[in-house]
Each structure stands twice: as structure tokens, then as C-alpha cells.
Amino acid sequence: MSEFDTTLPSIRQVQTLISDKQEVELKLVTDDLLVGRILWQDHDCICLVDQYEQKTLIWRRGLVYLKLKS
Amino acid sequence: MSEFDTTLPSIRQVQTLISDKQEVELKLVTDDLLVGRILWQDHDCICLVDQYEQKTLIWRRGLVYLKLKS
Amino acid sequence: MSEFDTTLPSIRQVQTLISDKQEVELKLVTDDLLVGRILWQDHDCICLVDQYEQKTLIWRRGLVYLKLKS
Amino acid sequence: MSEFDTTLPSIRQVQTLISDKQEVELKLVTDDLLVGRILWQDHDCICLVDQYEQKTLIWRRGLVYLKLKS
Amino acid sequence: MSEFDTTLPSIRQVQTLISDKQEVELKLVTDDLLVGRILWQDHDCICLVDQYEQKTLIWRRGLVYLKLKS
Amino acid sequence: MSEFDTTLPSIRQVQTLISDKQEVELKLVTDDLLVGRILWQDHDCICLVDQYEQKTLIWRRGLVYLKLKS
């Protein structure tokens, strides 16, 4: 992942989740499960905001999977 | 893995699993074992869908192994 | 992350936290949660200082997420 | 590991194990220990087959060590 | 970290710790906490020596954080 | 570590351990501690042999630290 390629399906999928203000679950390498809406993404990070408007900057290295919150 | 090389046996194997809608088990670095069919793959991610049509976007970094579901 | 790109939103966000002397929580791959102010960042590391003026040099590889201390 | 260099001793060693249908133990980052014969390797993965002919596609990222099964 | 850039603040900081024979704590991905003085660093490793003059070669990949021993 | 640079101190140190048939302890990311002599190293791996002449091929990714066996 030496470039942030905005044409990649996975990058575009996250971009759609941002536009839709979709609530998601993010599983991290530490086994933490964070819940919230994604505010933005860049080459290194994803920024999540939870229901209390608390923001979390997550490094991509730490991401394992993303699910839509059902 | 600086390129997404679609001629690689492992990438083609996953591509075949997508076409065949084959059910698989994916072991992740967090020790989670996810079960479902692979919908698509790109340079960064594999997208899995389970029997309840819930989709999971899994970062390749988090993948450990894949088995056919027996 | 082959370059330290200071125009990246995530890098600039950390830069703002440094200027604001904002207290943060840093979650690490070892599941440690460090609290303090960020003093500086470079390509490889983030330097944190806690309330006792003890400094910690954290390798980016080890970072999972950052939250503002509430 | 930006190239799959087939002249590397470690890559050639695995190639020999494939030809010899040698049974091996593979330790993974999740602490799993898989046993079987290696069928093939490429830049990203090693494919293992166990005694019940079940195949496992293992990402190199997840590999820790390999021993001959004694 | 494709180059060992000796002008980086974090690399220079470690260089200063070497000159000062400063005692440090190194936290590793395995959650080990090693204590000693850093003897040298290169692109791949940091070499630590403890109070019994036992040397440990630590791969950078395994480093999480460094604190001055108080 | 995009090249296997044999002039690096850490690579040369391992080369010396090979020549000296020095017994070492290798700590791995899985928290395993392997003991033996290093037979060879290449870009991707280190090959260890224990006192029963059992060989283990260890991927560099999995290495955390090396100590001389005391």
C-alpha cells in the first residue's frame, strides 16, 4: 500500500460509508471493536466518530475488518 | 505486495473461489475465524459475505489463512 | 508509508495536537494505553510526554489508535 | 520481500520440500501449528495440504517458522 | 522505513542515548520489557546490553516503545 | 528491509554467530523461544539447528530478539 489509490474498490467502499454516514464496526489488531461513523480516510489512517462525538484516529496498520453495524 | 498481480496463483485461486461461490473459512491475526463466500478482492482487501448476507471488509494485513469450508 | 508526507490529514491532525498541547490516549499493539501530550513526530516515531514529564518514544509500527483524552 | 526471488536459499528450500512431498509443521502468528505437505508457493502465499487432502492457503505475512515433521 | 536516515529526530535521539550510555526500557511486541543501555543501532536492529553485560539484538520490527529508565 | 545488505552490523553479527557456531536464543512474535545454532541467513529467513540436529526455518518477520545462550 505505497499509494493511496482512490480507485480501489475497498477505498471507494469506505468513501461511500463516509458519504452515507453509515454506522460501522471496526475490529483492530488489539481485538478492540470500535463502533461509529467514519469521518475521513487518508493513506495512513481512518478517523471514526462515535455516538458521543468522540473521535478516534485509527492507523490502517491496526485495522483487521469492517462490518456494517446491524 | 506492492502490486496486485492477478497472475499470481494465490490471487487466481481466490478469484476461482469468488466465481465458484465457494464457502470458505478465513483465519485472522486476531484469531477470529470468519465463514462465508468471497465477493471480491483488491490490492488491500477481501470482501466476505456470510449466510445472513452480512458483508465484512477484511484487510489483507489481517489475513492468516484460508480453508475451504467442509 | 514510505514518505513522511506532512500534507496528509492524519499527519497534520497530529501536528495540531502537538501545537495545542492536547492530552491524548495512544493505544498500542501490545494493548498498552499511554496518556500524555505529543511532543513531536517524525517518519518512524511519535514522542509522548506524560504528566510527570517522562518521555516515551513510540514507533509508528506499534500504534493502533489515538483518542483525545476526555 | 518486494520480489519473489527463486534463487534465495529459503525459497529454494521450500521448493525442495515441495518436490520431496516432505511433511512439515508451520507455526503461524496466531500460534496455530499446521501440519501437512506444501503444494506450491508464490510471492504472497504457501499452500499446504493435510493428510485428509484439505488444502490451506497461508499468507506469508502469517508465517513464523517451518520444521520438518519428525 | 526503507532507508536508515540518520537525520531523523528519532534516530538521532537513539544516537544520543548511545553516547550518553543512558539506561532505557524497551517494550517489545511480545510484551517483553528489556532494560539496558543501547550499544548501537542500524537499519534493522538495536543492540542492547544489560547490567550483566549480556547483549540482545532486537529487530526494529519488534520494537513498540522506549522510555528512559527512571 | 528491501535489500539484504551484508554490510549492516546486524547482518554481519549474525554472520559471525554462524561462523562461531555460537548457541543462541531467538524470541519470536508468538512468544516462542527457540534455542540452537544459526546455520545460514538470507533476505527472508534464518535457519536454526537445535541440539538434536532438527532444523527450523524462521521468517525474519517473526523475529523479535536474539541473545547469546549463556
Side-chain angles (χ1 to χ4, degrees):
Chain A
M1 199 179 62
S2 54
E3 309 264 323
F4 182 59
D5 178 358
T6 54
T7 66
L8 273 187
S10 56
I11 299 286
R12 282 189 294 125
Q13 185 119 333
V14 169
Q15 214 55 41
T16 303
L17 295 171
I18 294 170
S19 312
D20 294 354
K21 300 180 179 197
Q22 173 70 49
E23 204 169 32
V24 298
E25 288 180 358
L26 281 172
K27 183 66 167 274
L28 309 183
V29 288
T30 42
D31 222 38
D32 289 298
L33 192 69
L34 301 186
V35 176
R37 289 174 293 112
I38 304 175
L39 282 186
W40 50 265
Q41 62 175 333
D42 69 9
H43 179 279
D44 289 356
C45 290
I46 277 181
C47 183
L48 198 77
V49 61
D50 70 13
Q51 52 175 332
Y52 308 107
E53 296 304 315
Q54 162 107 48
K55 289 177 197 171
T56 305
L57 192 64
I58 306 161
W59 278 273
R60 285 186 182 269
R61 246 171 237 291
L63 293 169
V64 177
Y65 68 72
L66 177 156
K67 276 188 186 173
L68 299 192
K69 185 84 174 71
S70 51
Chain B
M1 198 180 63
S2 54
E3 309 263 325
F4 182 60
D5 178 358
T6 53
T7 66
L8 273 187
S10 56
I11 300 285
R12 281 189 295 124
Q13 185 118 334
V14 170
Q15 214 54 41
T16 303
L17 295 171
I18 294 171
S19 312
D20 295 353
K21 301 182 177 192
Q22 171 70 48
E23 203 167 32
V24 297
E25 287 180 358
L26 281 172
K27 183 66 167 273
L28 308 184
V29 288
T30 42
D31 222 38
D32 290 297
L33 192 69
L34 302 186
V35 176
R37 288 175 294 113
I38 304 176
L39 282 187
W40 51 265
Q41 61 176 334
D42 68 12
H43 179 279
D44 289 355
C45 291
I46 278 182
C47 182
L48 198 76
V49 60
D50 70 15
Q51 52 175 331
Y52 309 106
E53 296 303 314
Q54 162 107 48
K55 288 177 198 172
T56 306
L57 191 65
I58 305 162
W59 278 273
R60 285 187 182 268
R61 245 170 237 290
L63 292 170
V64 177
Y65 68 71
L66 178 157
K67 275 188 186 173
L68 298 194
K69 185 82 173 72
S70 50
Chain C
M1 202 178 62
S2 53
E3 308 265 322
F4 182 59
D5 178 358
T6 54
T7 66
L8 272 187
S10 56
I11 300 286
R12 281 189 295 125
Q13 184 118 334
V14 169
Q15 213 55 41
T16 302
L17 294 170
I18 294 170
S19 313
D20 294 354
K21 301 180 179 197
Q22 173 68 50
E23 203 168 32
V24 297
E25 288 180 358
L26 281 173
K27 183 67 169 271
L28 308 184
V29 288
T30 42
D31 222 38
D32 289 298
L33 192 69
L34 302 186
V35 176
R37 290 175 293 113
I38 304 176
L39 282 186
W40 51 265
Q41 62 175 333
D42 69 9
H43 179 279
D44 288 357
C45 290
I46 276 181
C47 182
L48 198 77
V49 61
D50 69 15
Q51 52 175 331
Y52 309 105
E53 296 303 315
Q54 162 107 47
K55 289 177 198 171
T56 306
L57 192 65
I58 306 161
W59 278 273
R60 285 186 183 270
R61 247 171 237 291
L63 293 169
V64 177
Y65 67 73
L66 177 157
K67 276 187 186 173
L68 299 192
K69 186 81 174 69
S70 51
Chain D
M1 199 178 64
S2 52
E3 308 263 325
F4 182 60
D5 178 358
T6 54
T7 66
L8 272 187
S10 55
I11 300 285
R12 281 188 296 126
Q13 184 118 336
V14 169
Q15 214 56 41
T16 303
L17 295 171
I18 295 170
S19 312
D20 294 354
K21 301 181 179 195
Q22 172 69 49
E23 202 168 32
V24 298
E25 288 179 358
L26 281 171
K27 183 67 168 271
L28 308 184
V29 289
T30 42
D31 222 38
D32 290 298
L33 192 70
L34 302 187
V35 176
R37 289 175 294 112
I38 303 176
L39 282 187
W40 51 263
Q41 61 176 333
D42 68 11
H43 179 278
D44 289 355
C45 290
I46 277 182
C47 183
L48 198 77
V49 60
D50 69 15
Q51 52 176 332
Y52 308 107
E53 296 303 314
Q54 161 107 47
K55 289 177 198 172
T56 306
L57 192 66
I58 305 163
W59 278 273
R60 286 187 181 269
R61 247 171 237 289
L63 292 170
V64 177
Y65 69 71
L66 176 156
K67 276 188 186 171
L68 299 193
K69 185 79 173 74
S70 51
Chain E
M1 201 179 63
S2 53
E3 308 265 323
F4 182 59
D5 178 358
T6 55
T7 67
L8 272 187
S10 56
I11 299 285
R12 282 188 295 125
Q13 184 119 335
V14 169
Q15 214 56 40
T16 302
L17 295 171
I18 293 169
S19 312
D20 295 354
K21 300 182 181 195
Q22 173 68 52
E23 204 168 31
V24 298
E25 287 180 357
L26 281 172
K27 183 68 168 270
L28 308 183
V29 288
T30 42
D31 222 38
D32 290 297
L33 191 69
L34 302 186
V35 176
R37 289 174 294 113
I38 304 177
L39 282 186
W40 51 265
Q41 61 175 332
D42 68 9
H43 179 279
D44 288 356
C45 289
I46 277 181
C47 182
L48 199 77
V49 61
D50 69 14
Q51 52 175 331
Y52 309 106
E53 296 303 315
Q54 161 109 48
K55 289 177 197 171
T56 306
L57 191 66
I58 306 162
W59 278 272
R60 285 186 182 269
R61 246 171 238 291
L63 294 169
V64 177
Y65 68 72
L66 177 156
K67 276 188 184 169
L68 298 193
K69 186 81 173 72
S70 51
Chain F
M1 200 177 64
S2 53
E3 308 265 324
F4 182 60
D5 178 358
T6 55
T7 67
L8 272 186
S10 56
I11 300 285
R12 280 189 295 125
Q13 184 118 336
V14 170
Q15 214 56 40
T16 303
L17 295 171
I18 294 170
S19 311
D20 295 353
K21 300 181 180 197
Q22 173 68 50
E23 202 168 32
V24 299
E25 287 179 358
L26 282 172
K27 183 67 168 271
L28 309 184
V29 289
T30 42
D31 222 38
D32 290 298
L33 192 69
L34 302 187
V35 176
R37 290 175 293 113
I38 304 177
L39 282 187
W40 51 265
Q41 60 175 334
D42 68 10
H43 179 280
D44 289 356
C45 290
I46 278 182
C47 183
L48 198 77
V49 61
D50 69 15
Q51 52 176 332
Y52 308 106
E53 296 302 315
Q54 161 108 48
K55 290 177 196 170
T56 306
L57 191 66
I58 305 162
W59 279 272
R60 286 187 182 269
R61 245 171 239 290
L63 293 170
V64 177
Y65 68 73
L66 176 156
K67 276 187 183 169
L68 299 193
K69 186 81 174 74
S70 51

